[in-house]
Amino acid sequence: MARSRLVDRGSEEVRITPSRLVYDADENPIRVAGTESYTRRVTVAEDRQADAELPGQVSNKIVRLTLRDAPGLDSYAEVWFRGEQWDLANPPHFSNGVSRAIKHVEISLRSRNKMPRGVVDG
């Protein structure tokens, strides 16, 4: 069966470092970003954006990405998109579709809050 190429035709890429289980000094299990990453092509849909207009405000941007698969993607994974680290805005939606040809993953990413350039404290 042929795969739907619409999902694979994305013009941008995302790099995902899946989480792994480690133990802290007290032998408590914790999840942290792993050491091995992979890259996938994504189709991007701009979702919403709030730009900082005054000193002390932060910019916030949310994008929706569609990709073929994302093994190990969870809230503790590290996600790099457009040269910056982003956070998952909500859990990934794994869709099996009506056939294997259109199986895909949809994720929403939130930009990390940051101060506009040129803002100086004091």
Side-chain angles (χ1 to χ4, degrees), residues 47-62:
D47 198 341
R48 50 190 190 269
Q49 178 174 340
D51 286 329
E53 297 176 3
L54 299 171
Q57 292 181 334
V58 293
S59 295
N60 191 12
K61 187 174 192 176
I62 295 181

Side-chain angles (χ1 to χ4, degrees), residues 94-114:
F94 296 91
S95 174
N96 287 327
V98 294
S99 71
R100 282 188 274 169
I102 59 174
K103 179 180 177 180
H104 65 281
V105 180
E106 295 173 6
I107 59 175
S108 293
L109 296 180
R110 178 180 291 117
S111 64
R112 295 245 166 141
N113 292 333
K114 57 187 170 211

Side-chain angles (χ1 to χ4, degrees), residues 13-110:
E13 291 185 340
V14 65
R15 189 181 71 200
I16 298 170
T17 305
S19 65
R20 63 187 175 103
L21 186 65
V22 297
Y23 294 89
D24 65 12
D26 296 324
E27 296 300 318
N28 297 311
I30 56 173
R31 295 201 77 74
V32 297
T35 55
E36 295 185 23
S37 64
Y38 59 87
T39 303
R40 296 287 189 267
R41 284 197 136 337
V42 294
T43 302
V44 181
E46 303 291 331
D47 198 341
R48 50 190 190 269
Q49 178 174 340
D51 286 329
E53 297 176 3
L54 299 171
Q57 292 181 334
V58 293
S59 295
N60 191 12
K61 187 174 192 176
I62 295 181
V63 294
R64 285 181 290 133
L65 307 181
T66 304
L67 57 156
R68 175 63 63 192
D69 65 346
L73 180 61
D74 62 14
S75 299
Y76 301 98
E78 195 173 276
V79 180
W80 286 84
F81 179 64
R82 294 180 176 165
E84 298 178 357
Q85 188 173 3
W86 293 59
D87 296 317
L88 284 175
N90 48 33
H93 174 70
F94 296 91
S95 174
N96 287 327
V98 294
S99 71
R100 282 188 274 169
I102 59 174
K103 179 180 177 180
H104 65 281
V105 180
E106 295 173 6
I107 59 175
S108 293
L109 296 180
R110 178 180 291 117

